[in-house]
Each structure stands twice: as C-alpha cells, then as structure tokens.
Amino acid sequence: MHLFRYRDGQLYCEDVDLARVAEKFGTPTYVYSAGTILDHYTRLDAALAPLDHLICYAAKANSNRAILKLLADAGAGFDIVSGGELFRVLAAGGDSAKCTFAGVGKSREEIEYALDQRVYSFNVESEAELDYIDRIAGAKKAHAPIALRANPDVESHTHKYISTGSHENKFGIGLDRIAAVYEQAAKMINLEIVGVQMHIGSQITEAAPFAKAIKKLAPVVRELKAKYGIKFFSTGGGMGIIYRRALESGSGQWWHDHGGEPAAFSVRDYADAVMPPLLDLNVRILVEPGRFFVGNGGVLLTRVRYVKKSGAKKFAIVDAGMNDLIRPALYHSYHEIVPVKQSITSTSKGKNKTEKIDIVGPVCESGDFFALDREMPQLHEGDLLAIMSAGAYGFVMASNYNSRPLPAEALVRGDKFGLIRKRQRWEDLVRGEVEAEW
Ligand code: LLP
C-alpha cells in the first residue's frame, strides 16, 4: 500500500494535506511518507522470515539522512556504492557491519575508508579490483571481506539502461569464469572470501527472472560454501513498483494495478518465487532493494507557472524541471501526475473535463518534460501538482543544471511533517567555486 490519498478533494500524504506542505516549504519539494516506506520494509522482512536474512537497503535510491535513519532504526543494513554513501549511512546511525560495498570503480580512498569502518563485504566486479583491494588491505595489515558479483546472464525485461544481469553489460563476472576468479581470490592473502552476489537489473516487474537467476546460481553457492565456507548469498535488488495509475487503486493490492504496464509483483509473489531455491542453501540471504521501499513512498510537488498554447499543442510549464527529476527525460519513464486539489478537475456539471497537454519544466532543453500529450484535467496558473512515485531515483539524481537550486525534501509521519533538506539558495550555487591560483 501507499499512503497518498484524496480526502475531501485534497491530496493527503498520511494525515497531512499536501497543499500545507507546499505552502510552508514552497515548490518544487519532494515529500516522503515514512509510513509507506516502513510498511514496505516490514512486509519484505516478514516475507523473508523463514530465511536467515539481511535487508541491505540500496542507499542510492534515496539517500537523505532522515530516510536512511528510518530504515536503520527498523534494522536495515545498507547496500552502498561510494564512500559518500557510507559516510551518509554512518551519519544516519547505520551499522557498517551491515553494509555491503558494491560498484565497479571503487577508489583507493573509498576502499581504505570502508576497511577502516569494517564493512560486511566488498562486492567485487573484476580481477583488477580484487587485486587492488588485496594490495590496499595488505598495506593496512587488514583482511578485506569480499564477495564476487556473478552475472547469471538472465534477461530481466526492463529498460536497457537499468538491466544488468546479461553478459552484454559491464556488471559482474560470467558464470563460465566465476570459479577461476574465486580461486585467484583465495590465493590473495589479504582477502577473505565471505559471499557471492548477483543483481540482474532494476524495476523488474515479474518474479520469474529472479527465481531463474537464483536457480542458476544455487549450484555455484553450494560449491563456494563447500570450498571457502562462504557466509552469504546476496540476490540483489530490482523489485519493481507501480508507476502507472499509482494513485487510484484501493488499499492492500495496489501493486496489482496495471493500466497498460505489467503489474509489479507483491512481496508475497517475490518471496514465493525465490524462497524454494534459497531455503536449503544454508547461507545467509541478503537482498538489496532500493526503489521498492521508497519509490511509491514519495512525490514531487510542483506548481504550474504558465499555461501556453502553440498551434494545436498546449503546455503547462511547471516550476520543477528535469534537473529536479530526470527519469522522464533519461528513461522516458512514466510518472502519474495528479492535481493536489481534486476539484480543479470538475466542471459545473460535476463531470471531469480533460484535455491533452505536455507538462514541461523551465529548463532550456526539449527533453525537459514530465509528461507528453497527457490527458489531464484543465490546468491553470498556480495549480499545485503531485508527480507520483518519485521517491526513488528522484532527488538523488537531481542536479544544478541551469543554475537551479536543488529542491527541498520533506518527511511526513502521521499528522506531522518536517523539512529533511532545505531548499538550496542562490548562494549555495557558487559556494566552493574559487579563483584560480595561477
Ligand atoms: N543492487 C545493485 C548492485 C544495484 O546496482 C542496484 C541499482 C540496486 C541494488 C537497487 O536496485 P532497485 O532495487 O532500486 O531497483 N536510476 C534508475 C535506476 C538505477 C538502478 C541502479 N542499480 C532509475 O531511475 O530507474
């Protein structure tokens, strides 16, 4: 479920009217629902209860400290991909002993920091990286816990930019070579082999590819356990969410709502599919969901600045831009957009009058759009809109392009709401810029 609902014609997040949030903090502002995020975490945790498991939230999806703290307090570990993410996790009170450090291009500084903080595992993607970590650990007289990322070569039916489990991309080590690379790792005296990892892609809306990949890796896990006594198998993240019609559905089964898009599966479907091949492996199972926890738990509030007609076309120019939420521009991804005040959809007859319109931002790029030819209620200057399902890969991918200050972020919990990141100001844009010292 998620906790964005209309009440008396106003869009609420939990018990807070989103118009109040916009009044207090301005727009554009990301708003997250603590209840939604924790509900998703709790459901997945409960579904995986039959397994010895650890949920490592993929911090890259939304790394605001307040969000990390919510999940850390709930018991989550973290999947991190940079020294910066480790720093954030620690600042939020997260436990480094529950952190896995992934990514294909870790730097010396990052590896040293992660060793000092004693992360649970380095998830390694190449022989060159193994060698590098071994040397750095040796210089520190430390042992680096490592897992290799295996590429199971499974098609995950998702956008090509976020598919990672086939042999055609840069991630992981193919199954034909994995045993040999583990053998090499075993010879490196400053490394300790602790696990194996996989991740086949993101926004995967069927359970079958996960099960298929896990089944392919199960014999490898058994062999690694026998040979090196590995402690864990991380099955990665990638569980998909609903982007289309993310609002209309009722309680409970919201993830089964389609609207032209394949339905995202439920936690139950996922657990039912992956549990059987995992149950008798006798290693700890890690999962690394990012989007699944936070995606439907956040919206981007934006206000219509101008309505413009150009020939047969109509545009609503809003105050958020592609610099605030780049997913539509980058992946052509669909985000539901709804008015915060529902009555702006009604005519005097009480029937909703809609029209096709492009919803675009103020950035100087044709790619700066949130929706093209979208059937929307008639929009007017000043209308407040919510871009739905923006909690994952929203703020974290925002930039200062066009010298636009980064938006604010707010968190709702029950009937309370508060700022968790101040909106940037113009002064922030030039902070850190210095005169060249020739
Ligand atoms: N584990 C690894 C190794 C990953 O590379 C990723 C995501 C995750 C876990 C978490 O995946 P999730 O559960 O969130 O699907 N910016 C894109 C998504 C990029 C995902 C990158 N890796 C988007 O906006 O759709």
Side-chain angles (χ1 to χ4, degrees), residues 58 60 79 162 199 202 238 288-291 327 331 393 397:
K60 65 169 86 65
D79 172 52
I162 51 177
H199 172 77
S202 195
E288 308 164 359
R291 187 187 326 257
R327 302 193 72 259
Y331 314 116
Y393 306 106
M397 294 178 81

Side-chain angles (χ1 to χ4, degrees), residues 98-141:
K98 290 186 186 172
C99 283
T100 52
F101 187 5
V104 295
K106 301 173 188 77
S107 71
R108 166 179 286 276
E109 193 188 10
E110 290 177 322
I111 294 167
E112 286 178 347
Y113 180 42
L115 280 171
D116 290 344
Q117 297 301 327
R118 299 181 181 276
V119 294
Y120 185 60
S121 171
F122 289 86
N123 292 345
V124 176
E125 307 229 8
S126 65
E127 283 126 303
E129 188 191 334
L130 269 184
D131 192 55
Y132 197 50
I133 296 176
D134 181 55
R135 276 187 284 139
I136 295 172
K140 280 185 153 300
K141 304 211 181 329

